[in-house]
Amino acid sequence: MNKQTMTILITGTNRGLGFYLADCFLEEGHTVISLIRSRNNNIKNLKKKYSLRYFIVPCNVTKEKEILRSFHKVRKITPYIDILINNAAVHLEQHKPDIQNINFSCYVPTYKVNSLAPLMIASRFLPLIKAGRTKLIVNISSEAGSIENAYRKTEYSYCMSKAALNMASKMLQNRVKDDGIKVLAIHPGWFSSDMGGVDAPVTPGQAAYRVVKTIQKKWSLSDAIYIDPDGKEMAW
Ligand SMILES: NC(=O)c1ccc[n+]([C@@H]2O[C@H](COP(=O)([O-])OP(=O)(O)OC[C@H]3O[C@@H](n4cnc5c(N)ncnc54)[C@H](OP(=O)(O)O)[C@@H]3O)[C@@H](O)[C@H]2O)c1
């Protein structure tokens, strides 16, 4: 467990898991920078409570120009990032259409947010992560991205996008290993949220607490990349 206070950059923190990840890290005394595309009361309340350690930077994570703009803003806030958490995602096929009824227009937008954006963010923010002490990139993945354990017959867009995110995580780890940066692709478990629905067994707050504890374990570069909420290796 890292006792130093850290600076953590998290995408998509206005609701769901992202909000509680930000809240947990702030509660532990760390500095959090949120990349968000829309402000709401959650964001305003965190800002009110942790005004000196909480920073909000607007960014639609699918837009390269906005990522670049946000990078320049973040660089004015901090010279380093200890942990980058790519959390923002969409699931645009929650109605689970059969293969014969799919509207494929949501596929590329899903891929842009879930697979491409985490890589674009990591690419842009790499100099700040290299300058950090913890040197950790966390991609919030899903069991839905496991090819070996794939059981669904619907929701291709979400599952395919998370499998692609897993590939990006593995390749990124190959690239940044020599800089001492660890990459994790963590399945946070099934929790209630706009994406997870209301039937999930745990709240987003409980899921976030577990993720925060797991990613703060002492990770070495040779450890597993694709892990479950407790840090156990998952099958690709
Ligand atoms: N819920 C589950 O049971 C579950 C299970 C496994 C994995 N996960 C993963 O856990 C993570 C969080 O899921 P969640 O359930 O908390 O989702 P959620 O409640 O639907 O929240 C998604 C977040 O992503 C943001 N976002 C989406 N597109 C964006 C964009 N283009 N630019 C910036 N922000 C964007 C949303 O912001 P806006 O409000 O602006 O849209 C929102 O803050 C995701 O990576 C998800 O795939 C969730």
Side-chain angles (χ1 to χ4, degrees):
M1 175 92 175
N2 195 335
K3 297 236 165 60
Q4 285 174 321
T5 62
M6 298 182 289
T7 298
I8 299 140
L9 182 73
I10 313 174
T11 65
T13 64
N14 59 353
R15 57 192 167 94
L17 184 72
F19 168 72
Y20 287 96
L21 288 174
D23 192 40
C24 268
F25 279 117
L26 287 164
E27 177 82 34
E28 286 188 0
H30 303 294
T31 294
V32 172
I33 305 169
S34 279
L35 294 196
I36 49 157
R37 66 173 173 182
S38 46
R39 285 180 195 236
N40 58 11
N41 281 338
N42 281 339
I43 295 288
K44 284 180 201 150
N45 291 339
L46 275 193
K47 185 66 192 163
K48 223 180 269 170
K49 196 164 166 196
Y50 300 105
S51 58
L52 297 177
R53 287 189 285 114
Y54 184 50
F55 300 90
I56 302 151
V57 176
C59 183
N60 179 330
V61 295
T62 61
K63 312 260 186 223
E64 263 189 291
K65 276 188 187 153
E66 291 195 25
I67 293 175
L68 179 60
R69 216 175 299 142
S70 70
F71 172 73
H72 290 306
K73 286 191 177 146
V74 170
R75 218 174 34 174
K76 283 185 189 151
I77 299 168
T78 175
Y80 64 85
I81 291 165
D82 289 303
I83 307 180
L84 162 65
I85 305 181
N86 281 305
N87 164 77
V90 291
H91 185 339
L92 303 175
E93 281 192 316
Q94 279 174 330
H95 54 301
K96 303 184 181 177
D98 179 62
I99 179 73
Q100 293 184 294
N101 299 317
I102 289 175
N103 177 351
F104 287 101
S105 65
C106 71
Y107 275 55
V108 170
T110 300
Y111 187 77
K112 276 189 179 166
V113 187
N114 296 8
S115 325
L116 206 49
L119 199 57
M120 292 198 295
I121 303 255
S123 157
R124 179 57 64 195
F125 283 90
L126 203 52
L128 297 190
I129 300 162
K130 274 187 195 173
R133 294 152 300 180
T134 314
K135 297 189 188 338
L136 184 63
I137 297 173
V138 179
N139 292 327
I140 303 293
S141 183
S142 169
E143 50 74 30
S146 170
I147 292 177
E148 192 163 330
N149 290 327
Y151 64 89
R152 294 171 176 82
K153 296 175 187 167
T154 61
E155 306 170 85
Y156 287 82
S157 58
Y158 184 74
C159 299
M160 288 165 63
S161 70
K162 290 295 186 179
L165 176 64
N166 286 352
M167 176 59 93
S169 306
K170 171 77 176 164
M171 292 179 67
L172 186 61
Q173 180 64 92
N174 295 343
R175 165 62 179 81
V176 298
K177 192 170 58 185
D178 292 344
D179 298 309
I181 298 171
K182 173 67 185 158
V183 179
L184 293 173
I186 185 169
H187 165 52
W190 181 29
F191 57 88
S192 53
S193 68
D194 293 334
M195 189 186 296
V198 291
D199 297 328
V202 301
T203 65
Q206 290 166 325
Y209 181 80
R210 211 162 158 206
V211 168
V212 164
K213 291 293 155 217
T214 295
I215 68 178
Q216 288 189 85
K217 285 179 178 169
K218 203 147 180 54
W219 291 100
S220 74
L221 295 172
S222 57
D223 284 341
I225 297 169
Y226 187 31
I227 55 169
D228 76 5
D230 295 315
K232 202 166 148 270
E233 183 164 18
M234 289 186 52
W236 292 108

